[in-house]
């Protein structure tokens, strides 16, 4: 007998910043269950689907009790007794039930938690690991983890406008070796920060808070940590930067990637090219503001055959936006964050569009996270090239990497 939906329940919980978020509990008629929690971003793209917050009252208006009530009432009633054999069908019905372009009725936070919980319950119902239930054009490669080791921008209160400096252990063959490398270099970097007289306090995603001014100095510290960890810079481990350039564009359209700097889009393009020439940077995310298609286009033409250029705020996991970018020659990779769009199926649609356009994908956490590890199974299921989940430290970050270790073992047992 096909399983049907027996229960959809929700609860307001806290995320890693101590801000309220929503956890959803689902149960199917065959007893299978799924639990999932919504993450929350801070440096968001303008076109992200709406995160429903209570506005007034508790938690300075950041409560999600309205979203919780929507799930317990409207969503629960709507889906009770429905066939649960195809989670993509349930995602479609969820989008239909919301009925708005920006998901303001139910809230994308409520929707993503419902969607993920249902996919989990279905996986359990099929006695499959979640990644197998999601599996699309599965290419047997596990994603390379991107370890965020230095935080700036909106995720840290320091002098560094660029948001994330990440390790890319592309030259190491297994997940276990990549994760070991991330942890060893992170430990070396902690020593490096202490020796340089800097605090070893961390930002929202677990990377150290660099208090210097120059990007080149931050990169220098990271390179030294890679070398001291015994790894080959460029051969085994390279660097990625999420600039999150929405955060350092000035009102007059210029950019300040370092304090005191003021660059036009053309000058910023040159600045990025010089940086990529002088350092082992193999990936740049959001190097220009989401509205600066000209800047994005210039840099894409210059660097697309050399490095991975990832669109986050400009694409917001939206299939149509990725399609347009492919036609316009903007970026050559897309970040995928399920809560930017609202459901797992729409995230898979965005991935499929990226793949059709020859773009790579990076499945990503948010700066506000929970212990939920859905994105690890998602990254493996769709065969994404990368998984970005912050530092190799703090439970809400490492649980995603730990899940990759489990999947690596599940694959051997397959
Ligand atoms: P956010 O940042 O989760 O705060 O939006 C992550 C990112 O920009 O990739
Ligand atoms: Zn980003």
């Amino acid at each position: 007998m096909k399983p049907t939906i027996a229960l959809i329940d929700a609860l307001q919980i806290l995320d890693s910043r101590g801000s309220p978020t929503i956890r959803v509990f689902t149960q199917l008629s065959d007893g299978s269950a799924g639990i999932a929690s919504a993450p929350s971003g801070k440096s968001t793209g303008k076109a992200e689907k709406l995160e429903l917050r209570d506005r007034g009252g508790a938690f300075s208006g950041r409560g999600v009790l309205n979203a919780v009530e929507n799930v317990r009432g409207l969503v629960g009633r709507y889906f009770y007794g429905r066939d649960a054999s195809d989670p993509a069908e349930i995602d479609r019905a969820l989008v239909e039930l919301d009925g708005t372009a920006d998901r303001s009725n139910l809230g994308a936070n409520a929707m993503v938690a419902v969607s993920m919980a249902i996919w989990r319950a279905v996986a359990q119902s099929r006695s499959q690991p979640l990644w197998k239930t999601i599996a699309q054009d599965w290419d047997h490669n596990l994603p390379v983890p991107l370890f965020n080791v230095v935080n700036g921008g909106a995720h840290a209160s320091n002098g560094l406008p660029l948001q994330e400096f990440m390790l890319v252990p592309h030259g190491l063959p297994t997940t276990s070796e990549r994760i070991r490398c991330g942890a060893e270099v992170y430990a070396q970097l902690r020593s490096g920060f202490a020796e340089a007289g800097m605090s070893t306090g961390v930002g929202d995603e677990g990377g150290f808070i660099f208090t210097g001014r120059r990007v080149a100095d931050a990169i220098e510290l990271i390179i030294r940590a890679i070398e001291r960890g015994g790894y080959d810079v460029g051969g085994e481990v390279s660097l990625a930067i999420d600039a999150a350039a929405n955060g350092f564009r000035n009102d007059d359209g210029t950019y300040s990637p370092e304090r005191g700097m003021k660059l036009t889009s053309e000058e910023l393009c040159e600045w990025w090219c010089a940086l990529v020439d002088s350092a082992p940077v193999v990936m740049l995310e959001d190097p220009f503001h989401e509205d600066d298609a000209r800047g994005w286009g210039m840099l894409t033409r210059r660097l697309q055959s050399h490095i991975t250029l990832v669109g986050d705020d400009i694409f917001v996991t939206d299939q149509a936006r990725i399609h347009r970018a492919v036609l316009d020659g903007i970026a050559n990779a897309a970040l995928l964050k399920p809560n930017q769009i609202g459901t797992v199926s729409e995230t898979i649609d965005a991935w499929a569009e990226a793949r059709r356009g020859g773009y790579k994908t990076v499945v990503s956490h948010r700066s506000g996270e929970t212990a939920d590890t859905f994105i690890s199974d998602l990254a493996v299921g769709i065969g994404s090239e990368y998984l970005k989940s912050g530092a190799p430290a703090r439970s809400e970050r490492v649980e995603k990497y730990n899940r990759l270790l489990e999947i690596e073992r599940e694959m051997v047992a397959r």
Side-chain angles (χ1 to χ4, degrees):
M1 222 170 57
K2 283 182 176 174
T4 59
I5 294 179
L7 173 81
I8 302 183
D9 196 2
L11 181 71
Q12 174 172 277
I13 60 163
L14 293 181
D15 73 12
S16 56
R17 274 194 281 255
S19 195
T21 189
I22 179 168
R23 175 166 291 172
V24 167
F25 306 82
T26 56
Q27 202 166 357
L28 306 185
S29 54
D30 63 6
S32 311
I35 302 176
S37 307
S40 175
K42 196 187 231 174
S43 74
T44 51
K46 277 190 294 193
E48 290 195 23
K49 301 302 181 195
L50 186 111
E51 190 177 66
L52 198 62
R53 299 268 174 201
D54 297 338
R55 299 237 168 80
F59 297 104
S60 307
R62 291 190 55 78
V64 293
L65 293 176
N66 289 334
V68 165
E69 275 320 301
N70 284 344
V71 172
R72 301 189 67 181
L74 194 61
V75 176
R77 273 198 307 276
Y78 188 74
F79 284 102
Y80 181 79
R82 274 203 186 218
D83 179 358
S85 41
D86 181 7
E89 193 47 54
I90 294 173
D91 281 345
R92 270 193 289 279
L94 196 59
V95 170
E96 216 174 273
L97 175 67
D98 172 76
T100 65
D102 65 354
R103 310 289 187 264
S104 51
N105 228 338
L106 298 176
N109 44 347
M111 289 174 70
V112 80
V114 170
S115 176
M116 295 192 299
I118 293 280
W119 277 84
R120 275 220 169 91
V122 170
Q124 196 183 90
S125 174
R126 293 182 189 170
S127 305
Q128 283 178 329
L130 179 57
W131 56 266
K132 233 178 195 171
T133 302
I134 295 169
Q136 300 281 315
D137 172 24
W138 185 54
D139 62 6
H140 300 254
N141 286 322
L142 289 181
V144 173
L146 304 175
F147 299 107
N148 183 356
V149 293
V150 170
N151 287 187
H155 296 161
S157 50
N158 56 357
L160 205 59
L162 306 192
Q163 183 175 280
E164 303 170 19
F165 291 76
M166 292 169 277
L167 306 172
V168 191
H170 53 78
L172 298 169
T174 66
T175 297
S176 314
E177 287 164 279
R178 292 165 184 165
I179 289 176
R180 172 182 160 188
C181 164
E184 288 179 347
V185 173
Y186 183 75
Q188 289 294 342
L189 189 59
R190 184 188 286 112
S191 306
F193 265 62
E195 285 159 21
M198 271 188 277
S199 152
T200 51
V202 298
D204 285 359
E205 296 188 349
F208 299 112
I209 298 179
F210 180 75
T211 47
R213 274 179 169 233
R214 283 167 38 87
V215 169
D217 294 341
I219 289 177
E220 186 54 40
L221 270 175
I222 299 170
I223 288 175
R224 222 175 314 140
I226 296 172
E227 288 167 351
R228 278 168 54 163
Y231 292 96
D232 173 19
V233 180
E236 290 174 316
V237 192
S238 297
L239 304 185
I241 294 175
D242 178 6
N246 278 6
F248 57 85
R249 192 170 75 152
N250 306 304
D251 291 342
D252 62 2
T254 61
Y255 292 90
S256 302
E258 286 182 2
R259 270 193 299 182
M261 239 180 214
K262 218 170 167 181
L263 306 180
T264 62
S265 293
E266 286 78 4
E267 288 166 343
L268 182 62
C269 182
E270 292 306 323
W271 191 80
W272 284 127
C273 291
L275 185 79
V276 168
D277 264 350
S278 64
V281 173
V282 295
M283 178 186 292
L284 274 182
E285 179 183 330
D286 284 356
F288 287 88
H289 187 276
E290 64 179 82
D291 292 334
D292 192 350
R294 209 172 52 86
W296 259 110
M298 269 189 296
L299 193 69
T300 304
R301 283 190 294 280
R302 291 280 292 275
L303 293 183
Q304 64 186 341
S305 53
H306 305 292
I307 67 167
T308 304
L309 294 162
V310 190
D312 172 12
D313 293 341
I314 189 171
F315 297 162
V316 292
T317 317
D318 185 321
Q319 179 176 14
R321 286 174 161 258
I322 295 171
H323 181 72
R324 213 171 314 136
V326 171
L327 298 178
D328 292 347
I330 283 178
N332 59 16
L335 206 75
L336 300 176
K337 293 166 166 170
N339 82 321
Q340 280 182 326
I341 191 73
T343 62
V344 174
S345 298
E346 291 165 293
T347 310
I348 295 172
D349 291 344
W351 162 80
E353 190 70 49
R355 180 119 335 166
R356 272 194 295 278
Y359 283 31
K360 290 182 176 175
T361 57
V362 181
V363 171
S364 170
H365 69 155
R366 301 308 303 251
S367 52
E369 266 295 338
T370 70
D372 194 299
T373 60
F374 195 97
I375 58 166
S376 309
D377 284 78
L378 175 65
V380 174
I382 61 180
S384 185
E385 285 81 2
Y386 302 98
L387 173 71
K388 157 172 141 161
S389 173
R394 299 164 56 118
S395 302
E396 81 278 7
R397 310 295 151 192
V398 297
E399 275 307 299
K400 277 77 161 168
Y401 299 132
N402 290 341
R403 177 67 191 131
L404 280 189
L405 291 171
E406 288 179 355
I407 296 174
E408 185 177 47
R409 200 173 57 175
E410 285 168 10
M411 286 186 167
V412 176
R414 194 159 39 96

